[in-house]
Each structure stands twice: as structure tokens, then as C-alpha cells.
Amino acid sequence: MDPQVKIAQTHLNSTYGHKAGWTRLTEDGVAGWNTIYGLRKALQAELGIAQLATGFGDKTRSAFVEQLGVIAEYQDSPMNVLRIVNWSLWCKGQSGVYDDPASPVTFAFIDIARAITNLQGALGLTINSSVDVKLMAFLLSMDSHVLAGPGRSAIRQIQQWLNGTFANRRDFEIVACDGFVTRNTQKALLLAFQYELGMADGVANGNFGPGTRDGLRGVRLAPGATDGSKRYVRLLKVCLLFNEIDVPWSGTYDESTQTKV
């Protein structure tokens, strides 16, 4: 039981309990889906969405971008929004501000900036001490940014690389860095292939369809090949590592990789 999470649950119930769609949170101090759903609904309420829902869908994303853009030190953000970010960080295991609305503490973005940069670093993202809609969506999920249980460090390294390389593309969502090959991680890999094949935002969709097949038919890798403007060697190695075929993590199609192929 985390005291800060319990404080968050109590505050969320008292502040947003009268809103349409609110479901009272169990005040148990556990940072599970119960709390995440509450934080999502709280953000929706702050964005002026009338009917609260458990998802982080298009309406929430659009409202976030239109009203907040990014949450950062150089931009004034409502205290309740900062509280939502702060408590989301606590749920991720990143120590933010000790905040109890019963004994109000006024804090600024700079007070949680270090926790945000720690999270960005763990995810392989560019560290810029700001929260955009993609990072907010990750915060309001149960995805992990640290190696979990029997997760593999080699897979976590790939997840970080995928985030750091492609998170700037429109439809690429930040993936967990927990060391597990999940459906979302597989989709991120397919998007990466499509981006390298030259597919535009809005065309690349993470599905292995005819366009992806036709594009890959034109890709040939010979021993000694290295990544340049395209990252096909690394993407090949990602496929091998996802299938538990160990190869050196680099952009060179070396002898070891050739043997495994």
C-alpha cells in the first residue's frame, strides 16, 4: 500500500465523484487499473469532457493537444492537471511531490521534472522534461518502464531503441520497456519496418499487409552490410532476438548474424 496513491484515490473520489461516468475508487493505496481509470477520468474532467470513460481515446487525445499541448516548465498548467501527472508518476514508481490536498501543497512543474526525465530516460526517449500526449498516455497505463520479472534485458534494449528512434512519428505509441515481446511491441516493430520502407504517417499502420510485403521484397541484406539511412540490419536483428535467436545488437550484418540466419 502506497500512502501517496491512497491520498490520490481519496482526492479523486472527493473531487470528481459527482461527475457523470465516475465510479468510486477503492481507497486501498494500490496503483492498479482502479487508480489508472480514475486518473484518466480526472484528466478528462479537467479537459472539459462531459461523459467520463475509462479509455484514453481520440477525444481525450484531441482535447489534451488542443488545450494543453505539452505540460512543461515554460507553460502554465492547472494545479489539478499537475496533480494528475504527479500521482501518475507515483503509480509508475517515480517519486514526485508529496502532495495531500487536505493540507494543500502548491508546487510547480519543476518540482516533478526530475521524475519525468527519469521516466523518459528509462523509456529510451529524448529527455526534454515535458509531457506530451504520448507520454501522458503511457503514464495513464499499466505499462512498465523497467525490466519486469523474467523479462529479457536484450528485449528491453530493443524497446528503448524503438521508442527513441520512432516516437516522433504520428502513429507510433510509446511501448513498455519491460523486456517482454508483447502485441504492442510487435506492432511497434512493424511500424518501424513501414517507416523505413518510406510509408508516410497515416499510411503506416502496423499491419503486415500487401504494401509491407511488396516493400520488403525489394530489401536484400548481404554479409558485411551496415545500417545507413535505413536501419534494416537492426530490424532484422530485432526479428531474430524476438524469436529468441541471440545476435549482437549492432547495425552490422556480421558473421555471427549470418550464421544464425
Side-chain angles (χ1 to χ4, degrees), residues 14 16 24 34 60 63 75 84 87 90 95 123 128 133 136 159-160 203 207 228-229 236 248 256:
S14 62
Y16 305 104
R24 183 172 180 79
N34 168 62
T60 305
Q75 183 168 313
I84 292 166
W87 286 328
W90 278 102
S95 298
L123 289 169
N128 57 21
V133 68
M136 193 74 243
Q159 292 168 325
Q160 291 173 315
V203 177
N207 295 322
S229 59
L236 167 64
S256 173

Side-chain angles (χ1 to χ4, degrees), residues 97-116:
V97 174
Y98 288 93
D99 180 32
D100 185 352
S103 303
V105 175
T106 300
F107 62 93
F109 182 86
I110 192 172
D111 297 313
I112 57 175
R114 182 173 181 179
I116 291 167

Side-chain angles (χ1 to χ4, degrees), residues 18 34 91 194 203 205 221 233 237 251:
H18 64 287
N34 168 62
C91 288
Q194 292 171 339
V203 177
N205 58 13
L221 293 176
V233 174
K237 291 188 175 187

Side-chain angles (χ1 to χ4, degrees), residues 38-78:
L39 289 166
R40 285 180 179 179
K41 290 181 177 182
L43 178 62
Q44 292 165 4
E46 293 300 323
L47 294 172
I49 297 173
Q51 182 64 44
L52 309 183
T54 57
F56 196 97
D58 292 341
K59 183 179 286 189
T60 305
R61 290 172 181 272
S62 296
F64 185 99
V65 172
E66 291 171 8
Q67 298 180 39
L68 299 173
V70 295
I71 302 171
E73 184 177 354
Y74 54 82
Q75 183 168 313
D76 290 334
S77 299

Side-chain angles (χ1 to χ4, degrees), residues 230-249:
K230 301 296 184 181
R231 305 174 181 88
Y232 293 127
V233 174
R234 283 193 184 272
L235 291 176
L236 167 64
K237 291 188 175 187
V238 172
C239 293
L240 293 170
L241 287 160
F242 277 10
N243 284 281
E244 299 187 2
I245 301 171
D246 291 332
V247 291
W249 178 241

Side-chain angles (χ1 to χ4, degrees), residues 106-178:
T106 300
F107 62 93
F109 182 86
I110 192 172
D111 297 313
I112 57 175
R114 182 173 181 179
I116 291 167
T117 58
N118 287 342
L119 179 67
Q120 289 173 327
L123 289 169
L125 299 171
T126 299
I127 295 175
N128 57 21
S129 301
S130 64
V131 179
D132 62 7
V133 68
K134 289 186 179 182
L135 189 58
M136 193 74 243
F138 181 85
L139 277 168
L140 296 182
S141 75
M142 285 293 290
D143 289 345
S144 175
H145 58 292
V146 297
L147 192 66
R152 298 167 59 203
S153 58
I155 300 303
R156 181 171 187 269
Q157 183 180 27
I158 290 168
Q159 292 168 325
Q160 291 173 315
W161 177 76
L162 288 168
N163 284 335
T165 306
F166 300 106
N168 62 319
R169 298 298 297 259
R170 192 191 76 180
D171 299 311
F172 186 96
E173 295 297 331
I174 296 170
V175 295
C177 292
D178 55 6

